[in-house]
């Protein structure tokens, strides 16, 4: 091989994939922009993550955003943790979390593992804008999860039979989060149907319909049975609805606020490998593994989240909704083809097996794909029936979420929020945001108790500056400038594990 990319072979394949990515964009953007105007007009949601760009453009209380001393103080404070980690990385590897597992080795406390503390600066900054009842719900439900594991496994010694070697373990937080996600989506969609949102949002309705038809047709043409393709599309689409709602109402400043990989795993344990084989055969299961990245990673969900923020920004500025939609689509196409080109040049020029310092094992993306095919091979060698434990905890998650939503409707001041339940369990036992959620809940509670809403509003620039300072130092100064300059000039590696 001379390192040149055989574009004649690749262009038809890339064009084929571009259709699928365009369909995913249309589903995410269409569904979120269909429901977001309703959330703005009728429920007056805050869209917390959209507040930073809005405040930067229009200022705060009549003054320029960056003219505020609180903003500048927040930027400095937000940059300090990464600065300290960068300096420490000259001497040793630095991890941005504390792992408590080494201290939880004896029974019954080992049932609490994994348990980690992530002091996430961005979580504190943007978390200040998250409603108190959501903050309380996230860390409280995560505490309940650990309490159930401690009593059930650590004290009583329960042993839950393993049916499928996928996902998590007792009490199956991923499955509980799936139940919550699907229930919230159905409730939100039902409200939208009652308000007849499709009549006022024609462009969004067209995008959603066209994207759904294209995505299902693409999967069927690729060899997936229509029934399996329809089920996969349905679960993925419902996840987009809840994820967009999380962005609009809660604004959790993390990407992994959904049970990653669960839309595909849900089909595995709800129908069993035996049932899916009857429905679609081996070929459909292979295609499900080939499209697992749609469920595991956040391309589809983030399209919905960005659309929700875009609707908020359009409503607060003079931007055109149609122009914003076209700009979003153009950005998706440009970014997609930039990824195609950069990856192919790297693979043919360097070799996938030698990227990222992993000779013989390939880069991380290749490793993840191969890992899922190995899982499929094991499942096909020993097909499993539906997993009653995971199905049961999915139903439990759905019931709890529905009950919380009903209580919030009857009592608007009820202290727990239905979105807090699936968020607490979305990252399974490892939940990285329980600690910053608890911390900002406590700090914000003290501010509201002793300073009231007046002091709370006055401190908004400080916390937005905190988040901005973290991203400037971590993503721009260290990640974009200093680290690339230093990594090849030193005799030792510099490594900060942000995770």
């Amino acid at each position: 091989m001379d390192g040149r990319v055989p574009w004649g072979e690749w262009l038809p394949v890339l064009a084929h994939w571009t259709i699928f990515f365009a369909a995913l964009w249309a589903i995410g953007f269409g569904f979120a922009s269909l429901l977001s105007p309703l959330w703005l007009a009728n429920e007056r949601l805050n869209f917390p993550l959209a507040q930073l760009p809005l405040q930067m453009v229009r200022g705060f209380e009549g003054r320029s955003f960056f003219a505020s001393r609180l903003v500048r103080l927040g930027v400095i404070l937000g940059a300090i943790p990464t600065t300290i980690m960068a300096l420490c990385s000259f001497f040793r590897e630095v991890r941005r979390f504390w792992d408590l597992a080494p201290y939880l080795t004896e029974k019954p406390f080992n049932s609490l593992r994994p348990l980690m503390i992530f002091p996430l600066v961005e979580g504190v900054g943007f978390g200040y804008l998250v409603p108190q009842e959501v903050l309380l719900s996230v860390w409280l439900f995560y505490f309940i999860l650990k309490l159930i594991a401690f009593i059930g496994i650590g004290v009583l010694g329960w042993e839950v039979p393993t049916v499928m070697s996928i996902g998590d373990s007792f009490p199956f937080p991923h499955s509980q989060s799936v139940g919550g996600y699907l229930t919230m989506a159905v409730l939100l969609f039902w409200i939208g149907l009652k308000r007849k949102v499709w009549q006022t949002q024609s462009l969004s309705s067209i995008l959603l319909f066209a994207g759904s038809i294209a995505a299902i047709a693409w999967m069927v043409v690729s060899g997936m049975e229509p029934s399996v393709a329809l089920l996969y599309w349905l679960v993925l689409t419902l996840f987009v609805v809840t994820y967009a709602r999380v962005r609009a109402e809660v604004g959790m400043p993390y990407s992994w606020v959904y049970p990653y990989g669960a839309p595909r795993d849900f089909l595995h344990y709800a129908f069993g490998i035996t049932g899916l084989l009857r429905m679609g055969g081996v070929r459909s299961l292979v295609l499900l593994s080939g499209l697992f990245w749609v469920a595991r990673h956040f391309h589809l969900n983030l399209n919905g989240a960005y659309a929700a923020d875009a609707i908020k920004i359009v409503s607060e500025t003079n931007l055109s909704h149609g122009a914003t939609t076209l700009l979003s689509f153009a950005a998706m196409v440009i970014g997609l083809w930039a990824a195609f080109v950069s990856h192919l040049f790297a693979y043919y020029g360097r070799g996938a097996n030698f990227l990222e310092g992993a000779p013989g094992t390939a880069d991380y993306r290749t490793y993840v794909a191969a890992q899922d095919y190995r899982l499929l091979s094991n499942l096909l060698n020993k097909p499993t029936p539906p997993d009653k434990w995971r199905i049961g905890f999915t139903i439990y998650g759905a019931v709890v979420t529905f009950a919380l939503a009903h209580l919030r409707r009857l009592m608007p001041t009820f202290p727990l929020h239905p979105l807090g339940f699936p968020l607490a369990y979305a990252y399974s036992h490892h939940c990285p945001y329980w600690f910053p959620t608890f911390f900002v809940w406590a700090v914000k509670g003290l501010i509201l108790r002793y300073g009231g809403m007046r002091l709370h509003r006055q401190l908004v620039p400080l916390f937005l500056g905190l988040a901005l300072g973290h991203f400037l130092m971590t993503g721009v100064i260290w990640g974009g400038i200093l680290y690339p300059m230093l990594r090849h000039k030193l005799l030792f590696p510099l490594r900060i594990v942000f995770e």
Side-chain angles (χ1 to χ4, degrees):
M1 295 292 291
D2 57 5
R4 289 184 296 182
V5 180
W7 291 109
E9 302 292 334
W10 274 107
L11 286 177
V13 177
L14 300 181
H16 182 70
W17 279 104
T18 301
I19 296 172
F20 187 63
F21 273 88
L24 295 180
W25 171 87
I27 292 171
F29 202 95
F31 228 138
S33 58
L34 181 69
L35 295 175
S36 293
L38 177 66
W39 300 339
L40 275 169
N42 291 60
E43 302 181 56
R44 301 183 181 277
L45 299 185
N46 191 34
F47 291 77
L49 293 187
Q51 295 303 316
L52 179 58
L54 285 172
Q55 297 284 2
M56 292 172 68
V57 170
R58 66 188 182 190
F60 186 78
E61 295 184 348
R63 300 178 60 196
S64 168
F65 179 74
F66 291 100
S68 170
R69 292 181 179 178
L70 287 175
V71 170
R72 295 197 293 269
L73 176 61
V75 169
I76 293 172
L77 293 176
I80 288 175
T82 300
T83 303
I84 294 174
M85 288 190 291
L87 293 174
C88 292
S89 70
F90 281 89
F91 306 99
R92 61 181 178 86
E93 179 182 276
V94 180
R95 292 181 176 269
R96 194 174 63 143
F97 60 87
W98 296 301
D99 188 358
L100 302 182
Y103 308 102
L104 303 170
T105 57
E106 302 295 330
K107 285 188 176 184
F109 300 102
N110 60 353
S111 60
L112 297 174
R113 302 168 65 180
L115 184 61
M116 292 178 282
I117 295 176
F118 285 79
L120 305 178
V121 178
E122 68 275 26
V124 175
F126 283 121
Y128 188 73
L129 302 176
V130 176
Q132 280 291 84
E133 57 269 23
V134 178
L135 296 172
L136 170 63
S137 301
V138 169
W139 71 259
L140 179 61
F141 281 122
Y142 186 70
F143 172 80
I144 293 174
L145 171 74
K146 291 300 181 181
L147 181 63
I148 293 174
F150 179 78
I151 295 175
I153 299 176
V155 176
L156 301 179
W158 292 348
E159 292 186 9
V160 178
T162 300
V163 179
M164 307 186 76
S165 58
I166 61 172
D168 49 9
S169 57
F170 181 85
F172 305 109
H174 252 188
S175 300
Q176 296 185 50
S177 185
V178 168
Y181 249 76
L182 296 178
T183 300
M184 282 302 304
V186 171
L187 292 174
L188 294 168
F189 187 59
W190 176 249
I191 294 172
L193 285 177
K194 289 199 299 184
R195 300 290 175 85
K196 299 180 180 180
V197 291
W198 67 88
Q199 294 182 354
T200 57
Q201 305 293 328
S202 56
L203 175 59
S204 301
S205 301
I206 292 171
L207 279 176
L208 175 60
F209 179 76
S212 299
I213 295 297
I216 295 171
W218 191 95
M219 288 187 282
V220 172
V221 169
S222 298
M224 188 180 292
E225 281 295 317
S227 57
V228 179
L230 186 63
L231 282 171
Y232 197 39
W233 162 83
L234 179 61
V235 178
L236 288 170
T237 303
L238 290 175
F239 267 57
V240 172
V241 176
T242 303
Y243 194 91
R245 178 69 179 207
V246 169
R247 180 64 71 99
E249 184 173 5
V250 180
M252 295 290 282
Y254 317 103
S255 299
W256 301 98
V257 290
Y258 64 97
Y260 59 94
R264 197 283 311 271
D265 290 344
F266 171 71
L267 298 184
H268 276 186
Y269 70 71
F271 295 91
I273 300 302
T274 54
L276 289 174
L277 284 172
R278 287 194 299 270
M279 291 171 60
V282 174
R283 186 167 186 174
S284 291
L285 282 170
V286 171
L287 284 166
L288 271 179
S289 289
L291 296 176
F292 178 52
W293 58 269
V294 185
R296 176 181 174 124
H297 300 290
F298 33 75
H299 172 79
L300 177 58
N301 288 329
L302 281 183
N303 276 324
Y306 293 151
D309 282 342
I311 297 302
K312 172 64 175 179
I313 293 173
V314 164
S315 70
E316 298 280 340
T317 60
N318 295 323
L319 295 174
S320 163
H321 179 254
T324 303
T325 303
L326 288 175
L327 185 62
S328 173
F329 179 74
M332 183 277 297
V333 174
I334 293 171
L336 176 65
W337 277 84
F340 285 159
V341 171
S342 61
H343 278 75
L344 286 175
F345 272 122
Y347 287 162
Y348 279 89
R350 301 280 183 176
N353 279 331
F354 293 92
L355 294 177
E356 300 180 357
T361 59
D363 64 302
Y364 177 72
R365 288 156 293 279
T366 307
Y367 170 79
V368 169
Q371 180 186 51
D372 201 60
Y373 283 117
R374 286 193 294 270
L375 170 63
L376 175 62
S377 176
N378 294 333
L379 292 174
L380 290 176
N381 287 331
K382 189 179 179 181
T384 53
D387 191 328
K388 295 179 180 179
W389 280 95
R390 285 185 169 87
I391 293 173
F393 276 98
T394 301
I395 296 172
Y396 166 74
V399 170
V400 171
T401 303
F402 181 82
L404 290 173
H406 188 62
L407 287 170
R408 290 279 296 179
R409 187 176 67 85
L410 294 177
M411 297 179 288
T413 57
F414 187 72
L416 298 179
H417 197 284
L419 283 174
F421 181 84
L423 286 176
Y425 300 156
Y427 210 74
S428 189
H429 295 279
H430 297 79
C431 183
Y433 41 81
W434 73 267
F435 177 77
T437 299
F438 169 77
F439 179 81
V440 75
W441 170 82
V443 170
K444 188 177 172 184
L446 292 173
I447 292 171
L448 289 170
R449 180 176 179 85
Y450 296 105
M453 285 301 299
R454 183 171 179 270
L455 179 61
H456 175 266
R457 285 193 295 268
Q458 289 175 342
L459 292 179
V460 167
L462 173 67
F463 284 88
L464 288 178
L466 197 69
L468 181 61
H470 165 75
F471 288 122
L472 282 175
M473 184 63 199
T474 305
V476 178
I477 298 175
W478 174 253
I481 300 174
L482 295 179
Y483 180 71
M485 289 173 55
L486 295 173
R487 61 180 299 189
H488 296 301
K489 295 183 179 180
L490 299 174
L491 299 178
F492 51 87
L494 295 174
R495 192 176 183 202
I496 302 177
V497 182
F498 287 99
E499 295 197 16

